Amino acid sequence: MRHVTRPTLGILGGMGPLATAAFYRRLVELTPAGSDQAHLPVLMWADPAVPDRTAALLGQGPSPVPALVEGARWLQRAGVSCIAVPCNTAHAYVEQLSKATGVEVLDMIKAALETAVRRTPGLERVGILATRGTRLTGLYEQAGARLGLDVIQVPAPVQEEYVDAAIRAVKAGAETAGPERWIATAAESLKEQGAQAVVAACTEIPLISGSAARVLPVVDSTDALAEAAVLRLWRPGSAPAPLRARERTR
């Protein structure tokens, strides 16, 4: 395979396919490019057969690490500068992935929380809407502690009845009206616990977070990762102002 010479982003995706497509779209929209040729080179490995990350973390399925390492090594051989993994739950395996390949993996969790801090003046308590697998890892709690944030989760019944159900519906390609209501209900639960903002910490959730955004400010973890990728690979000094100025377009 021909190695590209410009700084190139590798996308390790397919978890799920629609979320990966949404990430790439946001990457393009957030890049301050004036022509097709000015956009970032991107190489994508999108394997929807990667074993379910939440099931693995719950001890109910095989590890996704071999499949993730296979994709990362393909991207490494192709010459990428760093890798974005648009799946919050997969970040439980990022350390193993980095050790196996030596490739830099952008930190989606840190990017999402830093975005929440930047966009919500005086933020002290942030709610997380995520898979059960992401909750189990404590990734957001650990990153939040480093930033001085109190990270809270929805109660277990709300997780099962509303959040898990909404994520499954999006992955199955169901109509979005019901799942959007469920995520708004989950956001209400977080607001009752004192959350000042919510991180949509599963890449399916931003696709159905319109109503939740009327409950609390919602930080899209997909957007945060896309912005981090642009800031990492774009020409030095040219990215921050356009990124702040651009509004969400979807």
Side-chain angles (χ1 to χ4, degrees):
M1 177 179 295
R2 180 180 68 85
H3 282 50
V4 293
T5 56
R6 293 172 57 198
T8 301
L9 177 67
I11 300 176
L12 186 58
M15 303 170 281
L18 188 58
T20 301
F23 170 75
Y24 181 58
R25 175 171 179 167
R26 289 304 287 156
L27 180 75
V28 172
E29 291 170 344
L30 289 169
T31 301
S35 65
D36 290 348
Q37 292 74 22
H39 279 274
L40 294 172
V42 171
L43 293 170
M44 184 184 300
W45 175 279
D47 180 9
V50 174
D52 186 274
R53 284 67 58 199
T54 293
L57 289 166
L58 295 173
Q60 299 171 357
S63 171
V65 171
L68 292 172
V69 169
E70 179 186 4
R73 285 179 173 160
W74 183 90
L75 292 166
Q76 181 184 39
R77 291 193 298 269
V80 301
S81 305
C82 60
I83 291 176
V85 184
C87 173
N88 283 266
T89 312
H91 278 65
Y93 303 100
V94 159
E95 186 174 349
Q96 296 176 65
L97 192 61
S98 296
K99 286 182 178 178
T101 63
V103 178
E104 176 189 356
V105 180
L106 300 177
D107 190 337
M108 186 179 203
I109 312 300
K110 179 183 177 183
L113 288 177
E114 287 181 342
T115 298
V117 170
R118 190 170 66 249
R119 294 182 182 174
T120 312
L123 181 66
E124 296 180 353
R125 175 167 284 194
V126 59
I128 306 297
L129 294 175
T131 65
R132 283 184 294 154
T134 299
R135 289 181 59 148
L136 182 66
T137 65
L139 291 171
Y140 273 92
E141 285 79 1
Q142 295 163 29
R146 291 191 290 270
L147 293 172
L149 294 174
D150 183 15
V151 172
I152 58 175
Q153 304 279 355
V154 297
V158 175
Q159 177 73 37
E160 182 176 357
E161 185 174 353
Y162 296 104
V163 181
D164 291 348
I167 293 169
R168 286 195 302 268
V170 174
K171 286 183 176 293
E175 291 291 330
T176 60
E180 185 165 331
R181 288 195 304 272
W182 304 337
I183 291 301
T185 298
E188 290 278 8
S189 173
L190 291 170
K191 185 177 181 179
E192 291 171 2
Q193 297 179 68
Q196 299 158 279
V198 173
V199 174
C202 171
T203 43
E204 274 73 33
I205 291 176
L207 305 174
I208 49 172
S209 63
S211 296
R214 293 191 284 273
V215 177
L216 283 172
V218 175
V219 172
D220 182 340
S221 59
T222 301
D223 271 15
L225 180 61
E227 183 171 334
V230 175
L231 291 172
R232 168 66 176 80
L233 296 174
W234 189 251
R235 293 189 298 271
S238 66
L243 285 173
R244 286 196 297 268
R246 291 191 177 200
E247 298 291 333
R248 290 176 57 111
T249 57
R250 71 170 185 268

